[in-house]
Amino acid sequence: MTSRRHALQLMASVAALGAAAGCAPARSGQPQLLSVKGDLPKAWLQELPSPWQPRALESPEQLLSLVDRSALQEQPLAGAALLALGDGWAQQLDRARLQPLEAPALLEQLAPMAQAPSRLFAAEGAVPLAFPWAFGTWLLVLRSRPDLWRQRELGWSLLLDPSLRGKVVLPSSPRVVIELALRQLGLSSGDPKALSNPALPQQLSQLVGQALALDERDGLNLLLAGEADAAVVPSHRAIPLLKKDPRLSAFLPESGSPLWWQLLLRLPPQDTAGVDPPLPLEWVRDGLSLPLMDRLLAAGWVPPLPRQRLEPVLQRWPERLRPLLLPSEAVLQRCNNLPVFTPAERSRWQTLWDQALSR
């Protein structure tokens, strides 16, 4: 039988440190909205106006591969395309291929924190290339562990509890796992001294040693089946489960977490003689307002609107879920984005990760 350690190494090798179609392809010339299965709310997707056609792929890797093949004219996309991607995956796109959104009125509705992801974390003044339609944090979810719930003031260090050895599902992204280890030390990757901290290698090794799996997407099944007692997952995956499963409890430590973003990006038509259809701006706007926003929130997707617009809507939600959907301003200030690494940074952090796996 494959050992747990070997399984972790296999999973880690697939997840780089940076980060079959589910619907029939659009008919020739029709603009497409390309997404990953489960990464667009069904209620919102059902409202997508004609002539835009939805097309869902199994994974972000498949979506990026399709875009790359279209760039090489191996499998040209029909008409223009909108892409729905997480920020880590979106940063792997060739920026030169993206078309500016030209939706200033919509971007102005968003909170200031959405400006950086709208530029794909380029310097201030860069042209917005993305519309950040949802954001959130990473949560620590417990299953039937009231003893650990009472110790939640320990924050991310709770993951190192001896009773959780081999009972934790960690994110598949090594970078997020490293962030969790840094936060256990009171640091984040934004600290210029983070990598040189002498305690980090051992801290990361201890954290990885607790893991049953590195897989927040399918690993949740391990939590629900009782094989795991704790999981670290994006808030949008946790919220729907917390609403219906009384065995589960979740919290965001006071030290915060990395932020995740969901973005809409635009590819121009590959046929220069074709018509570039207008963006479905009304459809996007509907996702930022009631009644549709309630359905997005129910699925764990929080639009990055100013707090004064979100808080009245959240008052209708159970009190225990409100800070998971929208953390307090103090906690949110301790959260950080994860811009793409430079090649040199990637090499340094990959070395740290490889060392943690080999211990």
Side-chain angles (χ1 to χ4, degrees):
M1 181 178 294
T2 303
S3 68
R4 183 186 67 85
R5 173 65 66 190
H6 182 56
L8 284 175
Q9 289 174 323
L10 287 175
M11 292 182 211
S13 66
V14 174
L17 223 143
C23 300
R27 292 185 293 274
S28 178
Q30 288 188 310
Q32 301 179 54
L33 172 57
L34 304 177
S35 65
V36 178
K37 282 185 177 180
D39 279 2
L40 274 177
K42 291 181 180 179
W44 196 30
L45 199 54
Q46 289 170 352
E47 302 297 324
L48 185 68
S50 177
W52 289 89
Q53 299 291 315
R55 183 179 178 188
L57 292 102
E58 292 292 339
S59 68
E61 293 94 339
Q62 287 189 3
L63 197 157
L64 290 178
S65 175
L66 177 61
V67 172
D68 288 342
R69 294 198 305 274
S70 73
L72 298 172
Q73 295 297 308
E74 294 176 1
Q75 187 177 344
L77 295 171
L82 279 175
L83 311 178
L85 273 173
D87 56 313
W89 297 102
Q91 291 178 76
Q92 297 182 37
L93 292 167
D94 180 0
R95 298 173 65 95
R97 291 202 63 216
L98 297 173
Q99 187 169 338
L101 281 178
E102 299 177 353
L106 280 177
L107 287 169
E108 287 172 2
Q109 293 189 38
L110 304 182
M113 65 184 295
Q115 293 180 3
S118 77
R119 304 188 302 266
L120 293 183
F121 305 102
E124 288 189 36
V127 175
L129 294 174
F131 184 81
W133 64 269
F135 84 108
T137 61
W138 291 77
L139 303 177
L140 200 166
V141 183
L142 299 170
R143 180 189 183 276
S144 302
R145 291 299 303 266
D147 57 324
L148 294 180
W149 175 254
R150 290 190 291 269
Q151 301 179 64
R152 60 190 180 278
E153 71 278 357
L154 295 175
W156 294 113
S157 294
L158 189 65
L159 292 169
L160 300 179
D161 188 278
S163 69
L164 288 178
R165 177 79 178 183
K167 291 285 189 177
V168 176
V169 177
L170 290 176
S172 56
S173 165
R175 191 169 182 190
V176 175
V177 178
I178 293 173
E179 282 285 341
L180 300 180
L182 284 168
R183 288 176 187 274
Q184 291 170 348
L185 297 172
L187 301 168
S188 76
S189 60
D191 188 325
K193 298 181 179 180
L195 187 61
S196 60
N197 188 289
L200 179 57
Q202 180 64 27
Q203 191 77 18
L204 180 59
S205 180
Q206 289 179 349
L207 179 57
V208 173
Q210 295 286 87
L212 170 66
L214 302 174
D215 186 354
E216 76 278 356
R217 180 182 287 264
D218 297 320
L220 273 174
N221 292 329
L222 299 173
L223 186 72
L224 296 175
E227 296 183 51
D229 287 351
V232 178
V233 299
S235 51
H236 70 86
R237 295 197 184 281
I239 295 298
L241 293 176
L242 292 167
K243 287 165 43 186
K244 60 185 180 183
D245 194 330
R247 301 170 301 174
L248 303 181
S249 55
F251 67 99
L252 170 64
E254 290 295 308
S255 61
S257 81
L259 293 173
W260 57 262
W261 293 90
Q262 283 290 327
L263 310 173
L264 290 175
L265 307 107
R266 187 181 188 186
L267 288 178
Q270 291 182 302
D271 180 2
T272 56
V275 177
D276 190 1
L279 290 174
L281 297 182
E282 287 294 332
W283 174 75
V284 176
R285 188 177 293 112
D286 287 346
L288 304 179
S289 55
L290 295 173
L292 188 55
M293 185 167 63
D294 255 344
R295 300 179 72 180
L296 267 64
L297 291 172
W301 307 104
V302 182
L305 295 168
R307 185 171 292 270
Q308 61 268 27
R309 283 189 59 183
L310 286 172
E311 285 183 335
V313 179
L314 292 175
Q315 288 301 312
R316 300 197 295 272
W317 282 73
E319 189 171 355
R320 67 187 180 92
L321 295 181
R322 294 175 202 166
L324 305 181
L325 286 161
L326 182 65
S328 70
E329 190 61 38
V331 173
L332 204 53
Q333 288 295 323
R334 300 185 194 110
C335 297
N336 64 301
N337 292 312
L338 295 178
V340 69
F341 280 143
T342 65
E345 289 171 333
R346 182 187 297 272
S347 176
R348 294 169 66 199
W349 289 95
Q350 184 69 58
T351 298
L352 175 67
W353 178 251
D354 292 340
Q355 290 172 345
L357 286 178
S358 64
R359 286 173 180 260

